[in-house]
Amino acid sequence: MPRDIDPRLLRAFAAVAEELHFTRAAARLYVAQQALSRDIRRLERGLGTELFVRTTRSVELTAAGKRLLPYARRVLEAHDDLIAACSEAEADRPLLVDIGERVSTGNLVLEEARRIAPAAGPEFYACYHSGLIGAAADLLAGRLDVSFGRIAGLDPAVRARLDHLPVRFEPMAVVLPAAHRLAALPEVPLGALAGESVYAAAGNDATAEWTDLAERLFAGRGIAVAPPLPPIQGREEFIRVMGKLGRPVLATSQFIDMPGAVLRPLTDPVPLSPVSMVWRRGGRHPGLDLLRAAAERLAARRAWLVRPSGSWLPDVDEAAMSR
Protein backbone atom coordinates (compact mmCIF):
# COMPACT_ATOMS: atom_id res chain seq x y z
CA MET A 1 0.00 0.00 0.00
CA PRO A 2 1.59 3.33 -1.03
CA ARG A 3 2.05 5.97 1.66
CA ASP A 4 1.38 8.79 -0.83
CA ILE A 5 -1.43 8.91 -3.39
CA ASP A 6 -1.64 11.68 -5.96
CA PRO A 7 -4.91 13.61 -5.35
CA ARG A 8 -5.36 13.70 -9.13
CA LEU A 9 -5.80 9.91 -9.11
CA LEU A 10 -8.36 10.11 -6.33
CA ARG A 11 -10.21 12.85 -8.24
CA ALA A 12 -10.28 10.62 -11.32
CA PHE A 13 -11.57 7.72 -9.22
CA ALA A 14 -14.29 9.84 -7.58
CA ALA A 15 -15.48 11.17 -10.94
CA VAL A 16 -15.82 7.69 -12.43
CA ALA A 17 -17.44 6.37 -9.24
CA GLU A 18 -20.05 9.14 -9.33
CA GLU A 19 -20.72 9.05 -13.07
CA LEU A 20 -20.27 5.27 -13.55
CA HIS A 21 -19.27 6.19 -17.07
CA PHE A 22 -15.71 6.89 -18.28
CA THR A 23 -16.72 9.26 -21.10
CA ARG A 24 -18.87 11.45 -18.84
CA ALA A 25 -16.22 11.44 -16.11
CA ALA A 26 -13.54 12.49 -18.61
CA ALA A 27 -15.73 15.36 -19.85
CA ARG A 28 -16.38 16.44 -16.26
CA LEU A 29 -12.63 16.58 -15.56
CA TYR A 30 -11.74 18.05 -18.97
CA VAL A 31 -9.28 15.24 -19.74
CA ALA A 32 -9.06 12.66 -22.51
CA GLN A 33 -10.76 9.36 -21.76
CA GLN A 34 -7.50 7.49 -22.37
CA ALA A 35 -5.72 9.64 -19.79
CA LEU A 36 -8.52 9.04 -17.28
CA SER A 37 -8.31 5.26 -17.85
CA ARG A 38 -4.54 5.37 -17.31
CA ASP A 39 -4.99 7.22 -14.01
CA ILE A 40 -7.53 4.66 -12.80
CA ARG A 41 -5.20 1.77 -13.73
CA ARG A 42 -2.31 3.52 -11.97
CA LEU A 43 -4.41 3.94 -8.81
CA GLU A 44 -5.50 0.30 -8.94
CA ARG A 45 -1.88 -0.85 -9.33
CA GLY A 46 -0.81 1.32 -6.40
CA LEU A 47 -3.59 -0.02 -4.18
CA GLY A 48 -3.19 -3.57 -5.42
CA THR A 49 -6.89 -4.05 -6.10
CA GLU A 50 -9.50 -3.46 -8.78
CA LEU A 51 -11.87 -0.59 -8.10
CA PHE A 52 -14.30 -1.06 -10.99
CA VAL A 53 -15.96 -3.91 -12.86
CA ARG A 54 -15.97 -2.86 -16.51
CA THR A 55 -18.03 -4.36 -19.31
CA THR A 56 -18.84 -3.02 -22.77
CA ARG A 57 -22.17 -1.75 -21.42
CA SER A 58 -21.61 -0.73 -17.82
CA VAL A 59 -19.18 0.36 -15.10
CA GLU A 60 -19.74 -0.70 -11.49
CA LEU A 61 -17.79 -0.24 -8.28
CA THR A 62 -16.17 -3.31 -6.75
CA ALA A 63 -16.44 -3.87 -3.01
CA ALA A 64 -12.99 -2.27 -2.63
CA GLY A 65 -14.15 0.70 -4.70
CA LYS A 66 -17.22 1.19 -2.51
CA ARG A 67 -15.01 1.14 0.60
CA LEU A 68 -12.58 3.66 -0.90
CA LEU A 69 -15.14 6.22 -2.16
CA PRO A 70 -16.09 7.94 1.15
CA TYR A 71 -12.42 8.19 2.16
CA ALA A 72 -11.47 9.58 -1.25
CA ARG A 73 -14.17 12.23 -0.94
CA ARG A 74 -12.88 13.27 2.48
CA VAL A 75 -9.30 13.51 1.21
CA LEU A 76 -10.38 15.60 -1.79
CA GLU A 77 -12.44 17.90 0.40
CA ALA A 78 -9.45 18.41 2.70
CA HIS A 79 -7.24 18.98 -0.34
CA ASP A 80 -9.62 21.65 -1.66
CA ASP A 81 -9.67 23.31 1.77
CA LEU A 82 -5.86 23.29 1.81
CA ILE A 83 -5.70 24.99 -1.59
CA ALA A 84 -8.27 27.56 -0.47
CA ALA A 85 -6.34 28.27 2.73
CA CYS A 86 -3.15 28.81 0.75
CA SER A 87 -4.96 31.10 -1.65
CA GLU A 88 -6.23 33.69 0.80
CA ALA A 89 -4.22 36.28 -1.09
CA GLU A 90 -6.73 35.73 -3.89
CA ALA A 91 -9.16 37.86 -1.89
CA ASP A 92 -7.02 40.92 -2.69
CA ARG A 93 -7.34 40.53 -6.44
CA PRO A 94 -10.27 41.92 -8.48
CA LEU A 95 -13.21 39.61 -9.13
CA LEU A 96 -13.52 38.96 -12.88
CA VAL A 97 -17.20 39.20 -13.82
CA ASP A 98 -18.51 38.33 -17.29
CA ILE A 99 -21.55 40.52 -18.00
CA GLY A 100 -21.83 39.75 -21.71
CA GLU A 101 -22.93 43.29 -22.63
CA ARG A 102 -23.30 46.60 -20.82
CA VAL A 103 -27.01 46.31 -21.53
CA SER A 104 -27.61 43.11 -19.56
CA THR A 105 -28.98 41.65 -16.35
CA GLY A 106 -25.40 40.77 -15.38
CA ASN A 107 -24.34 44.39 -15.63
CA LEU A 108 -27.27 45.52 -13.46
CA VAL A 109 -26.13 43.05 -10.79
CA LEU A 110 -22.53 44.23 -11.11
CA GLU A 111 -23.54 47.88 -10.73
CA GLU A 112 -25.57 47.03 -7.61
CA ALA A 113 -22.60 45.11 -6.13
CA ARG A 114 -20.35 48.12 -6.70
CA ARG A 115 -22.97 50.36 -5.08
CA ILE A 116 -23.26 48.29 -1.89
CA ALA A 117 -19.54 47.46 -1.60
CA PRO A 118 -17.73 49.20 1.29
CA ALA A 119 -15.18 51.87 0.38
CA ALA A 120 -12.28 49.52 1.07
CA GLY A 121 -14.12 46.53 -0.37
CA PRO A 122 -13.17 44.25 -3.25
CA GLU A 123 -12.71 45.47 -6.81
CA PHE A 124 -14.74 44.12 -9.73
CA TYR A 125 -13.50 43.93 -13.32
CA ALA A 126 -16.11 43.48 -16.05
CA CYS A 127 -15.49 41.05 -18.92
CA TYR A 128 -17.49 40.68 -22.11
CA HIS A 129 -17.88 37.05 -23.16
CA SER A 130 -20.57 35.94 -25.58
CA GLY A 131 -22.58 33.06 -24.15
CA LEU A 132 -22.41 31.01 -20.98
CA ILE A 133 -21.10 27.94 -22.79
CA GLY A 134 -18.19 30.02 -24.02
CA ALA A 135 -17.54 31.38 -20.52
CA ALA A 136 -17.83 28.02 -18.71
CA ALA A 137 -14.40 26.77 -19.76
CA ASP A 138 -12.81 29.96 -18.41
CA LEU A 139 -14.80 29.63 -15.18
CA LEU A 140 -13.52 26.10 -14.64
CA ALA A 141 -9.96 27.04 -15.57
CA GLY A 142 -9.94 29.96 -13.12
CA ARG A 143 -9.56 32.61 -15.84
CA LEU A 144 -12.99 34.01 -14.94
CA ASP A 145 -14.85 34.16 -11.62
CA VAL A 146 -18.50 34.80 -12.48
CA SER A 147 -20.75 34.74 -15.52
CA PHE A 148 -24.48 35.03 -16.16
CA GLY A 149 -26.71 32.94 -18.39
CA ARG A 150 -28.91 29.94 -18.97
CA ILE A 151 -27.58 27.19 -16.68
CA ALA A 152 -29.83 24.49 -18.17
CA GLY A 153 -28.02 24.91 -21.49
CA LEU A 154 -24.74 23.58 -20.10
CA ASP A 155 -23.57 19.98 -20.36
CA PRO A 156 -24.44 18.13 -17.10
CA ALA A 157 -20.77 17.26 -16.55
CA VAL A 158 -19.88 20.96 -16.69
CA ARG A 159 -22.83 21.98 -14.51
CA ALA A 160 -21.69 19.50 -11.86
CA ARG A 161 -18.55 21.62 -11.35
CA LEU A 162 -20.37 24.93 -11.13
CA ASP A 163 -22.68 26.62 -8.64
CA HIS A 164 -25.45 28.97 -9.67
CA LEU A 165 -27.96 31.40 -8.19
CA PRO A 166 -31.23 31.98 -10.09
CA VAL A 167 -31.50 35.72 -10.74
CA ARG A 168 -34.15 36.51 -13.31
CA PHE A 169 -36.80 35.30 -15.73
CA GLU A 170 -36.09 37.83 -18.46
CA PRO A 171 -38.91 38.43 -20.96
CA MET A 172 -37.89 37.68 -24.52
CA ALA A 173 -38.32 40.07 -27.42
CA VAL A 174 -37.67 40.39 -31.13
CA VAL A 175 -35.63 42.99 -32.99
CA LEU A 176 -37.34 43.93 -36.26
CA PRO A 177 -36.12 46.07 -39.17
CA ALA A 178 -38.07 49.35 -39.12
CA ALA A 179 -39.73 48.42 -42.44
CA HIS A 180 -40.82 44.95 -41.28
CA ARG A 181 -44.53 44.13 -41.50
CA LEU A 182 -44.73 43.71 -37.69
CA ALA A 183 -42.60 46.72 -36.68
CA ALA A 184 -45.60 49.01 -36.11
CA LEU A 185 -47.04 46.72 -33.42
CA PRO A 186 -46.29 47.69 -29.78
CA GLU A 187 -45.80 43.99 -29.00
CA VAL A 188 -45.57 40.92 -31.23
CA PRO A 189 -47.67 37.80 -30.66
CA LEU A 190 -45.43 34.79 -31.11
CA GLY A 191 -47.79 33.30 -33.69
CA ALA A 192 -47.31 36.38 -35.90
CA LEU A 193 -43.73 35.25 -36.56
CA ALA A 194 -44.92 32.08 -38.31
CA GLY A 195 -43.15 31.78 -41.65
CA GLU A 196 -40.24 33.97 -40.52
CA SER A 197 -36.58 32.97 -40.26
CA VAL A 198 -35.28 34.46 -37.01
CA TYR A 199 -31.62 34.89 -36.14
CA ALA A 200 -30.74 33.10 -32.86
CA ALA A 201 -26.94 32.79 -33.05
CA ALA A 202 -26.97 29.41 -34.83
CA GLY A 203 -23.42 28.41 -35.71
CA ASN A 204 -21.82 29.99 -32.65
CA ASP A 205 -20.77 27.21 -30.28
CA ALA A 206 -20.12 29.72 -27.48
CA THR A 207 -23.82 30.67 -27.41
CA ALA A 208 -25.35 27.28 -28.21
CA GLU A 209 -27.54 27.48 -25.08
CA TRP A 210 -29.33 30.47 -26.64
CA THR A 211 -29.89 28.69 -29.96
CA ASP A 212 -31.25 25.68 -28.07
CA LEU A 213 -33.72 27.90 -26.20
CA ALA A 214 -34.86 29.42 -29.52
CA GLU A 215 -35.37 25.98 -31.08
CA ARG A 216 -37.50 24.92 -28.12
CA LEU A 217 -39.54 28.12 -28.38
CA PHE A 218 -40.08 27.92 -32.15
CA ALA A 219 -40.88 24.18 -32.28
CA GLY A 220 -44.39 23.58 -33.63
CA ARG A 221 -45.03 27.28 -34.26
CA GLY A 222 -43.87 27.50 -37.89
CA ILE A 223 -40.90 29.73 -37.00
CA ALA A 224 -37.45 28.82 -38.30
CA VAL A 225 -34.07 29.45 -36.69
CA ALA A 226 -32.05 31.35 -39.30
CA PRO A 227 -29.21 29.36 -40.92
CA PRO A 228 -25.83 29.32 -39.13
CA LEU A 229 -23.41 32.21 -39.54
CA PRO A 230 -19.77 32.41 -38.50
CA PRO A 231 -19.49 33.82 -34.97
CA ILE A 232 -19.90 37.60 -35.04
CA GLN A 233 -17.36 39.45 -32.88
CA GLY A 234 -18.26 42.78 -31.27
CA ARG A 235 -21.32 45.00 -31.03
CA GLU A 236 -20.53 47.10 -34.11
CA GLU A 237 -20.01 44.08 -36.34
CA PHE A 238 -23.19 42.47 -35.02
CA ILE A 239 -25.20 45.60 -35.82
CA ARG A 240 -23.63 45.82 -39.28
CA VAL A 241 -24.28 42.17 -40.20
CA MET A 242 -27.83 42.12 -38.84
CA GLY A 243 -28.63 45.38 -40.60
CA LYS A 244 -27.35 43.98 -43.88
CA LEU A 245 -29.30 40.72 -43.53
CA GLY A 246 -32.49 42.55 -42.54
CA ARG A 247 -34.06 39.63 -40.68
CA PRO A 248 -35.68 39.44 -37.22
CA VAL A 249 -33.36 38.78 -34.28
CA LEU A 250 -34.43 36.91 -31.16
CA ALA A 251 -33.53 39.05 -28.15
CA THR A 252 -34.49 39.83 -24.56
CA SER A 253 -35.91 42.92 -22.89
CA GLN A 254 -32.31 43.91 -22.02
CA PHE A 255 -30.75 44.40 -25.46
CA ILE A 256 -28.49 46.76 -27.36
CA ASP A 257 -29.88 49.60 -29.49
CA MET A 258 -29.78 48.78 -33.19
CA PRO A 259 -30.12 51.73 -35.62
CA GLY A 260 -32.85 51.21 -38.19
CA ALA A 261 -34.57 48.55 -36.06
CA VAL A 262 -37.10 48.34 -33.22
CA LEU A 263 -37.27 46.08 -30.16
CA ARG A 264 -40.70 44.57 -29.50
CA PRO A 265 -41.79 42.33 -26.57
CA LEU A 266 -43.06 38.86 -27.49
CA THR A 267 -46.48 37.78 -26.19
CA ASP A 268 -49.05 34.99 -26.37
CA PRO A 269 -47.24 33.37 -24.58
CA VAL A 270 -44.59 35.57 -22.97
CA PRO A 271 -41.38 33.55 -23.48
CA LEU A 272 -38.80 33.81 -20.71
CA SER A 273 -35.03 33.63 -20.82
CA PRO A 274 -33.78 32.26 -17.47
CA VAL A 275 -30.69 34.03 -16.10
CA SER A 276 -28.50 32.60 -13.34
CA MET A 277 -25.35 33.91 -11.73
CA VAL A 278 -22.76 31.16 -12.25
CA TRP A 279 -19.39 30.53 -10.60
CA ARG A 280 -16.91 27.69 -10.05
CA ARG A 281 -17.99 25.29 -7.32
CA GLY A 282 -16.01 25.93 -4.15
CA GLY A 283 -15.01 29.43 -5.26
CA ARG A 284 -14.27 31.84 -2.43
CA HIS A 285 -13.86 35.61 -2.69
CA PRO A 286 -15.44 38.51 -0.76
CA GLY A 287 -16.55 40.00 -4.08
CA LEU A 288 -18.48 36.83 -4.82
CA ASP A 289 -20.46 37.26 -1.61
CA LEU A 290 -21.24 40.88 -2.52
CA LEU A 291 -22.29 39.93 -6.04
CA ARG A 292 -24.65 37.24 -4.71
CA ALA A 293 -26.15 39.71 -2.23
CA ALA A 294 -26.65 42.24 -5.04
CA ALA A 295 -28.35 39.63 -7.24
CA GLU A 296 -30.69 38.59 -4.43
CA ARG A 297 -31.57 42.23 -3.64
CA LEU A 298 -32.39 43.09 -7.23
CA ALA A 299 -34.35 39.88 -7.77
CA ALA A 300 -36.48 40.62 -4.69
CA ARG A 301 -36.88 44.37 -5.33
CA ARG A 302 -37.81 44.01 -9.00
CA ALA A 303 -39.69 40.68 -8.73
CA TRP A 304 -37.32 39.19 -11.29
CA LEU A 305 -38.12 35.62 -10.26
CA VAL A 306 -41.90 36.06 -10.41
CA ARG A 307 -43.18 34.46 -13.59
CA PRO A 308 -45.78 36.58 -15.40
CA SER A 309 -49.18 35.10 -16.19
CA GLY A 310 -49.26 33.24 -19.50
CA SER A 311 -45.48 32.83 -19.67
CA TRP A 312 -43.47 30.10 -21.39
CA LEU A 313 -40.41 28.30 -20.05
CA PRO A 314 -39.03 24.85 -20.96
CA ASP A 315 -39.39 22.17 -18.28
CA VAL A 316 -35.61 21.69 -18.18
CA ASP A 317 -35.15 25.35 -17.29
CA GLU A 318 -37.93 25.34 -14.73
CA ALA A 319 -36.20 22.44 -12.97
CA ALA A 320 -32.80 24.16 -13.08
CA MET A 321 -34.16 27.46 -11.74
CA SER A 322 -36.05 25.87 -8.86
CA ARG A 323 -32.85 24.78 -7.07
Side-chain angles (χ1 to χ4, degrees), residues 51 138 153 177 227 257:
L51 301 172
D138 283 345
D257 289 329

Side-chain angles (χ1 to χ4, degrees), residues 212-237:
D212 174 71
L213 185 63
E215 289 171 345
R216 293 172 184 268
L217 175 61
F218 296 165
R221 291 188 164 98
I223 310 169
V225 172
L229 294 175
I232 303 171
Q233 301 293 329
R235 174 189 291 209
E236 289 75 16
E237 187 65 1

Side-chain angles (χ1 to χ4, degrees), residues 150 172-173 199-201 207-215 250-252 273:
R150 180 182 172 235
M172 297 171 74
Y199 178 76
T207 58
E209 77 279 5
W210 177 251
T211 308
D212 174 71
L213 185 63
E215 289 171 345
L250 187 66
T252 65
S273 171

Side-chain angles (χ1 to χ4, degrees), residues 42-323:
R42 181 179 166 193
L43 180 61
E44 288 178 327
R45 286 196 301 270
L47 296 175
T49 186
E50 289 191 353
L51 301 172
F52 298 99
V53 178
R54 308 165 179 85
T55 70
T56 56
R57 294 186 176 182
S58 67
V59 176
E60 298 291 339
L61 282 165
T62 63
K66 291 177 181 177
R67 286 196 300 272
L68 176 63
L69 183 57
Y71 294 99
R73 285 172 170 156
R74 282 157 53 186
V75 169
L76 292 173
E77 183 178 349
H79 184 262
D80 290 343
D81 287 343
L82 182 151
I83 296 299
C86 293
S87 302
E88 288 183 357
E90 286 278 284
D92 295 329
R93 68 168 178 82
L95 193 76
L96 304 179
V97 185
D98 166 36
I99 59 173
E101 263 288 346
R102 291 193 184 277
V103 182
S104 68
T105 294
N107 191 46
L108 292 174
V109 173
L110 177 58
E111 288 177 347
E112 178 71 5
R114 285 171 170 162
R115 189 187 68 80
I116 66 175
E123 178 63 281
F124 301 91
Y125 283 1
C127 308
Y128 302 91
H129 279 262
S130 177
L132 183 57
I133 287 179
D138 283 345
L139 286 172
L140 294 178
R143 296 187 293 267
L144 186 66
D145 295 306
V146 177
S147 188
F148 292 83
R150 180 182 172 235
I151 192 72
L154 296 181
D155 182 277
V158 175
R159 285 171 56 187
R161 300 177 62 193
L162 298 170
D163 275 327
H164 81 105
L165 175 71
V167 175
R168 186 177 186 183
F169 293 118
E170 192 170 340
M172 297 171 74
V174 62
V175 178
L176 298 168
H180 192 277
R181 63 183 177 87
L182 301 174
L185 297 177
E187 53 189 33
V188 175
L190 199 57
L193 288 173
E196 297 279 356
S197 178
V198 180
Y199 178 76
N204 187 347
D205 291 341
T207 58
E209 77 279 5
W210 177 251
T211 308
D212 174 71
L213 185 63
E215 289 171 345
R216 293 172 184 268
L217 175 61
F218 296 165
R221 291 188 164 98
I223 310 169
V225 172
L229 294 175
I232 303 171
Q233 301 293 329
R235 174 189 291 209
E236 289 75 16
E237 187 65 1
F238 178 82
I239 291 173
R240 185 192 71 81
V241 172
M242 291 300 106
K244 187 174 182 179
L245 291 175
R247 64 166 53 111
V249 176
L250 187 66
T252 65
S253 58
Q254 297 284 141
F255 203 69
I256 61 174
D257 289 329
M258 293 182 61
V262 295
L263 180 70
R264 295 291 183 256
L266 288 170
T267 60
D268 301 326
V270 176
L272 302 176
S273 171
V275 180
S276 286
M277 175 182 155
V278 185
W279 65 95
R280 187 173 60 258
R281 180 157 292 177
R284 295 181 178 88
H285 191 286
L288 183 60
D289 296 334
L290 276 169
L291 209 63
R292 291 180 64 180
E296 289 171 342
R297 284 189 184 198
L298 285 177
R301 186 188 311 152
R302 303 191 182 188
W304 275 354
L305 292 173
V306 177
R307 289 184 56 179
S309 176
S311 62
W312 172 92
L313 188 72
D315 290 344
V316 65
D317 291 276
E318 191 160 0
M321 294 289 278
S322 63
R323 61 176 288 264

Side-chain angles (χ1 to χ4, degrees), residues 30-44:
Y30 280 86
V31 299
Q33 185 175 336
Q34 295 87 343
L36 178 65
S37 297
R38 284 196 299 272
D39 282 347
I40 295 298
R41 288 195 296 270
R42 181 179 166 193
L43 180 61
E44 288 178 327

